[in-house]
Amino acid sequence: MDSVFDALSHPIRREILEMLKRGSLSAGALADAFPVSKPTMSGHFAKLKAANLIQSEQRGASLIYSLNLSVLEEVLLGFMRRVGAARAEQGDET
């Protein structure tokens, strides 16, 4: 779970996930949306892939990224369970 929160800690990576919510996109299309170098974008993609938040597929000369919803849902549900458990321990019923 730590790798997911680390991946989500940067605004560009969060925006990449927002963009991929609408559908798969090529690495080039994603990179063109941000004012940073392609090597910097590659680092962001690598961090998201390491956290299993995105997956990639080679299509011809293009690398296509898509959101890995099952991992994202699993992490969010796990986080919500932890928050709920912490609240229960504190006696907070809201």
Side-chain angles (χ1 to χ4, degrees), residues 3-38:
S3 65
V4 171
F5 287 112
D6 184 37
L8 295 174
S9 69
H10 197 282
I12 287 179
R13 292 192 289 267
R14 291 191 304 269
E15 184 62 28
I16 289 169
L17 295 176
E18 282 290 322
M19 292 173 72
L20 292 175
K21 270 188 354 186
R22 295 177 224 121
S24 300
L25 291 167
S26 69
L30 287 163
D32 289 345
F34 300 95
V36 297
S37 69
K38 298 223 188 281

Side-chain angles (χ1 to χ4, degrees), residues 7-80:
L8 295 174
S9 69
H10 197 282
I12 287 179
R13 292 192 289 267
R14 291 191 304 269
E15 184 62 28
I16 289 169
L17 295 176
E18 282 290 322
M19 292 173 72
L20 292 175
K21 270 188 354 186
R22 295 177 224 121
S24 300
L25 291 167
S26 69
L30 287 163
D32 289 345
F34 300 95
V36 297
S37 69
K38 298 223 188 281
T40 297
M41 287 303 295
S42 291
H44 288 307
F45 298 144
K47 186 79 83 165
L48 290 167
K49 281 184 72 172
N52 290 319
L53 293 172
I54 63 172
Q55 51 202 11
S56 63
E57 176 186 345
Q58 190 75 39
R59 289 188 198 158
S62 296
L63 192 57
I64 306 298
Y65 286 104
S66 59
L67 199 57
N68 191 351
L69 286 175
S70 61
V71 170
L72 191 55
E73 288 172 350
E74 180 181 321
V75 168
L76 290 175
L77 288 173
F79 178 71
M80 294 308 293

